Amino acid sequence: MKRTGDLQLIKELNKSIILDIIRKNGPISRAEIAKKINISPTTVTSAVSDLIRDSLVIEGGTGESSGGRKPILVQLNPDVCFLIGVAIDASKITIAELNLNAKVKRKEVHTLKDTEDLDLSNELIEMINVFFKKCKNLNDCLGISITIQGIVNSEQGMVAYNPKLKINNLPLKSAIEAAFKIPTYIDNDTNGSLLAEKGFGNYQQSKNLIYVTIGDGVGASILVNDSIFRGFHGGAGEFGHTTINYKGAPCNCGNVGCLENYVSWRAIYSRIVSEINAGKESLLVEEVKGDLSKITPELFRKTIYSGDALANSILEDVSFYLGIGLVNLIHLFNPERIILGGELAFENPLLIQKVNEHIYSYALKTHTHNVKVFPSSFGNDSEVVGSASLLLHELFHFTLK
């Protein structure tokens, strides 16, 4: 005999699945929902009534009749409430207000100038508090979703390890929930980006995906048979700390010759400055009027397409090293496709092209048939859409184990 708790769990799960069907297919009739997920019309009607009561779903319009009355259609009410997405990396914190379709309504970027003595919990609480003051009604806030680089124990809400911000075992989830009394979710940044692609992006049908992000750091999230592969301690996907040169420069993780030392923005910026100071000419000097501290990933991408020799030389090397790493991932996980996101991949089709060329040249042909590297679906908003997707995955229960 089923316990009451089990029945309630099934009911809530059904409601989440039905809500996701409405989100993806609305306006849709109750009968069509029942057909799509093969559950009884009575169960669908009950769940839809609950969702209408909670204002998550609204009725609107009528469908085609199959002999009787025309069915009333239902659809998602995306702006009935909002959520806060927070994306943290080594140089900035991005905070955004998003609706239930993961659409960014408002966004702020805060630069982290001094991370040496950073108290991340208190810094973040202050930023969110200021951000909340511009929100209309905090009672409409579903929750706060946070993504951060490094190793994250999502179940415990703990940032286990982040070498760039010098974090070890930080209970960030409990600190934020104590401050705001709002449900808070936390995970690794690339896991969030992968959830975004599965829930809202262009690659929802893929069951074996790898999402790679390149910005301040380099990370990967791996989807195997529709499940995120997290590893034993939640540390899977530290792609940037795979070694490609045992005689290379020391990395802040304690190893040497890590991939991150060759393809991350910090590595690229360091090389740009070094080569310009050594006498290399570059359009970047003109762009920043000689102040090299003002060189950004955006300017780097811009000068690539302006034909700058230095920028294109660096891009060639980045593509080569990144390609080496991606070939290894392809051989290990045999994905359907790889998605490349982050500041350096945004609006950078030449990088995508060169990496694909490397893969086709060096990976096993059995593994590259119909396999390709694609850009992120969300462009410059990919970080905060990824953050928001932690909460939205719980709400909608979109297809992902």
Side-chain angles (χ1 to χ4, degrees), residues 152-374:
V152 179
N153 186 321
S154 58
E155 290 185 4
Q156 295 181 9
M158 183 86 66
V159 183
Y161 179 60
N162 182 310
K164 295 184 183 65
L165 296 178
K166 298 179 173 58
I167 293 173
N168 286 282
N169 298 322
L170 176 68
L172 189 58
K173 170 184 163 73
S174 60
I176 301 301
E177 286 186 333
F180 298 105
K181 306 297 186 289
I182 294 175
T184 300
Y185 303 78
I186 183 169
D187 207 337
N188 170 269
D189 58 342
T190 46
N191 286 343
S193 295
L194 183 57
L195 284 173
E197 296 292 351
K198 279 295 292 181
F200 304 92
N202 301 326
Y203 315 103
Q204 296 179 37
Q205 303 308 312
S206 299
K207 293 178 180 289
N208 292 277
L209 273 175
I210 296 177
Y211 189 105
V212 173
T213 183
I214 48 172
D216 278 333
V218 179
S221 184
I222 303 153
L223 190 75
V224 179
N225 295 331
D226 245 350
S227 295
I228 288 183
F229 179 72
R230 294 181 178 274
F232 184 41
H233 293 297
E238 285 298 312
F239 180 47
H241 296 294
T242 52
T243 302
I244 60 169
N245 182 2
Y246 279 111
K247 296 181 180 179
C251 181
N252 55 22
C253 74
N255 203 348
V256 296
C258 291
L259 177 65
E260 197 166 281
N261 286 358
Y262 296 83
V263 305
S264 70
W265 171 241
R266 289 189 172 196
I268 291 170
Y269 175 75
S270 177
R271 182 173 164 188
I272 290 170
V273 171
S274 175
E275 299 221 17
I276 289 174
N277 286 337
K280 284 278 179 73
E281 293 185 358
S282 173
L283 295 171
L284 285 163
V285 179
E286 183 182 332
E287 287 282 348
V288 297
K289 296 181 172 54
D291 185 354
L292 302 187
S293 68
K294 292 182 178 177
I295 296 173
T296 63
E298 183 181 6
L299 287 177
F300 173 65
R301 296 194 313 265
K302 178 182 176 181
T303 52
I304 288 170
Y305 296 94
S306 298
D308 183 69
L310 175 59
N312 276 277
S313 171
I314 292 173
L315 178 73
E316 200 69 44
D317 289 344
V318 167
S319 304
F320 173 75
Y321 288 117
L322 183 58
I324 290 173
L326 293 181
V327 167
N328 289 332
L329 287 182
I330 288 170
H331 289 167
L332 283 169
F333 295 101
N334 189 23
E336 294 168 57
R337 49 178 50 88
I338 295 173
I339 305 166
L340 203 56
E343 291 177 304
L344 291 168
F346 175 55
E347 293 183 343
N348 199 348
L350 191 55
L351 173 64
I352 305 286
Q353 175 193 321
K354 288 180 177 295
V355 166
N356 273 312
E357 288 170 356
H358 186 98
I359 287 169
Y360 294 142
S361 297
Y362 294 100
L364 290 170
K365 299 298 178 264
T366 52
H367 287 51
T368 55
H369 180 65
N370 289 334
V371 175
K372 193 175 178 182
V373 177
F374 294 89

Side-chain angles (χ1 to χ4, degrees), residues 1-14:
M1 181 177 177
K2 286 282 184 184
R3 296 171 297 177
T4 304
D6 294 334
L7 294 172
Q8 184 62 29
L9 179 62
I10 292 168
K11 182 180 177 182
E12 290 301 318
L13 183 59
N14 282 337

